[in-house]
Amino acid sequence: FLGRAAVAKLRVPKRYRHPALEERLSRRRMAQEARSLLRCRRAGIPAPVVYFVDYVTNSIYLEDIVDSITVQDHIYSVQKSGNDTSDLHKLAEKMGELLARMHDEDIIHGDLTTANLLLRPPTDSLDLVLIDFGLSFISGLPEDKGVDLYVLEKAFISTHPDTEAMFQVLLKTYAATSKKSGPVIKKLDEVRLRGRKRSMIG
Amino acid sequence: MERTHRLELFPERSVTLLLFQHVKNAAALRKKAMEGSMEGALINPAMIVDPFQILVAANKAVHLQKIGKMKTRTLYAEIIFSLSPSNNISDAFKKFGISDSDTAVLIVLVVDGDKNVNLADITSQVEGQQVSLDELPQLTDTAKVKKMYKVTPQEEKIGTLLDSVVCRMSTKDVL
């Protein structure tokens, strides 16, 4: 895009939706994404730069984090080669710290998975970047933050075997970094007891 | 010396940037641009961090022109408006357009297709020296830009000034 590596996110119209709803939803999701990305950047939370927002085709052009790999792929490769604990421990700490900062800005990602967290090259630098804010929104409620973490926990455990310890490290760092973490962790425990909780927002 | 870039999203348009230093007739140029007798957007290079910034503004302006949703009256005015983080048109002109006392001017032209850019026409009207766009970083007033776009210190750690500027430009109308 104008000389810089970019990613174009086009919202594929879901034909099963009523057109009016489709239009509204696409527009809203796109706006939410752009808003959250800007908010993240202003707070110093690594996220792609927005280059252009097209309200006609409901597409957004973002910075392409070149040669990055998803945390998901990284965990796979580390587990395959077998040097588990130390590397992943540090990564979990960084993740916890990043999420704590994000939640402290009242930004709820909405779709936290290891595939939505990128590592800039060189991978060892543990330079994380958050992506895919299409389902994100702004909220100060511990409930929403707890759910955000719960989604990540579920994603973690289902995609990566034997990572319970890693997630614990993440939570510990989260609690240590975020000033408002107490109520959030409490809510997370509550949500776990409830079972699979679906966020009712948007 | 000047630089031309094709807009990928609007392949029939290209944007040309020209930079001039030691300009003596800024006042006259501004008048001509306002009257419409001169082609191009006349921009204050101190507020520009990188040509990419201009391209992003031009891209947005062309897009809005195509769908008939420009906020200003001409494409060139729209480019200047797109550069500004504020929604106030006259403010945009004041901060990003040239003022009578400016000695450096950045001129932006948008042309259709491969129509030959009439550079000689433009350069002849400027009483100044055309320089390469590589000189642009020297003319940038970083402090002013930071203040204008309200760049936070945390932001500077995760990206360049250009990143912050472009992000604000593109999400101006979302919030």
Side-chain angles (χ1 to χ4, degrees):
Chain A
F1 184 74
L2 307 173
R4 287 180 138 205
V7 170
K9 277 186 87 164
L10 296 95
R11 297 220 157 257
V12 177
K14 306 279 195 303
R15 297 263 166 239
Y16 56 78
R17 281 190 201 136
H18 188 284
L21 177 60
E22 175 64 40
E23 176 63 27
R24 293 258 179 97
L25 259 179
S26 274
R27 172 94 21 102
R28 182 179 307 177
R29 295 266 169 88
M30 215 182 55
Q32 280 176 328
E33 178 149 27
R35 226 173 278 155
S36 297
L37 284 170
L38 179 63
R39 205 168 162 130
C40 273
R41 288 204 76 86
R42 286 170 89 136
I45 295 171
V49 178
V50 181
Y51 290 155
F52 177 49
V53 182
D54 183 349
Y55 296 98
V56 175
T57 54
N58 280 343
S59 45
I60 185 168
Y61 295 80
L62 306 166
E63 175 190 3
D64 179 13
I65 318 287
V66 193
D67 295 329
S68 59
I69 68 164
T70 63
V71 167
Q72 187 176 84
D73 290 338
H74 177 67
I75 297 181
Y76 283 157
S77 69
V78 167
Q79 285 187 324
K80 245 175 55 177
S81 67
N83 348 352
D84 267 7
T85 23
S86 47
D87 299 348
L88 295 184
H89 185 102
K90 263 262 134 195
L91 176 61
E93 285 183 343
K94 283 254 156 175
M95 286 170 69
E97 189 201 324
L98 183 63
L99 292 177
R101 279 168 51 208
M102 184 183 78
H103 280 175
D104 276 352
E105 295 293 324
D106 289 348
I107 301 172
I108 311 294
H109 185 279
D111 191 12
L112 278 176
T113 69
T114 48
N116 283 337
L117 263 159
L118 300 180
L119 278 160
R120 275 193 213 267
T123 317
D124 305 326
S125 62
L126 296 183
D127 204 355
L128 288 164
V129 182
L130 277 163
I131 60 166
D132 203 357
F133 283 78
L135 294 169
S136 66
F137 56 99
I138 310 292
S139 166
L141 296 179
E143 169 81 29
D144 293 324
K145 296 177 187 176
V147 171
D148 217 19
L149 291 173
Y150 185 63
V151 168
L152 180 60
E153 182 172 30
K154 279 303 192 192
F156 236 106
I157 300 178
S158 57
T159 353
H160 305 285
D162 302 319
T163 49
E164 289 84 353
M166 191 179 162
F167 193 75
Q168 284 304 313
V169 172
L170 193 159
L171 278 184
K172 225 177 109 198
T173 327
Y174 178 94
T177 320
S178 161
K179 309 139 197 163
K180 323 173 193 168
S181 61
V184 178
I185 306 290
K186 218 170 137 246
K187 277 293 173 183
L188 173 60
D189 291 333
E190 273 175 46
V191 169
R192 277 198 198 116
L193 294 171
R194 261 183 256 162
R196 186 162 160 65
K197 157 74 157 108
R198 221 41 188 71
S199 169
M200 296 208 295
I201 317 289
Chain B
M1 255 220 282
E2 57 281 333
R3 244 182 247 181
T4 304
H5 217 290
R6 187 143 281 209
L7 295 178
E8 290 94 356
L9 295 178
F10 310 103
E12 72 284 1
R13 305 286 192 104
S14 9
V15 182
T16 305
L17 286 82
L18 299 101
L19 184 59
F20 296 90
Q21 269 189 289
H22 311 301
V23 175
K24 300 191 198 87
N25 61 337
L29 289 172
R30 192 168 78 87
K31 216 153 151 244
K32 278 198 204 168
M34 298 238 290
E35 286 166 0
S37 53
M38 182 169 162
E39 269 279 296
L42 276 66
I43 296 172
N44 181 358
M47 297 305 285
I48 307 300
V49 181
D50 186 284
F52 184 69
Q53 189 181 348
I54 304 278
L55 293 178
V56 170
N59 185 80
K60 191 167 176 187
V62 170
H63 168 75
L64 291 173
Q65 184 188 49
K66 282 207 144 184
I67 58 173
K69 292 239 167 112
M70 287 201 298
K71 290 253 171 101
T72 62
R73 272 188 268 155
T74 72
L75 179 64
Y76 292 119
E78 194 71 24
I79 294 180
I80 296 186
F81 181 60
S82 300
L83 284 168
S84 171
S86 108
N87 274 308
N88 184 314
I89 302 180
S90 37
D91 194 56
F93 268 92
K94 251 191 274 169
K95 303 279 163 58
F96 291 85
I98 57 168
S99 57
D100 295 343
S101 55
D102 280 345
T103 54
V105 176
L106 180 67
I107 301 189
V108 183
L109 295 161
V110 179
V111 284
D112 273 321
D114 290 303
K115 219 199 280 180
N116 253 326
V117 190
N118 204 340
L119 290 179
D121 197 29
I122 303 291
T123 49
S124 61
Q125 294 185 55
V126 181
E127 277 175 34
Q129 192 192 7
Q130 192 186 357
V131 296
S132 155
L133 273 131
D134 298 327
E135 304 280 326
L136 181 58
Q138 291 175 26
L139 298 169
T140 314
D141 186 339
T142 345
K144 229 166 144 204
V145 174
K146 278 194 205 169
K147 204 160 162 227
M148 182 77 218
Y149 287 99
K150 299 206 183 80
V151 180
T152 67
Q154 309 99 290
E155 224 178 320
E156 294 180 40
K157 292 197 208 135
I158 54 163
T160 64
L161 180 58
L162 178 61
D163 288 337
S164 314
V165 166
V166 168
C167 212
R168 277 173 182 66
M169 279 169 56
S170 54
T171 55
K172 178 162 91 169
D173 33 12
V174 142
L175 255 110

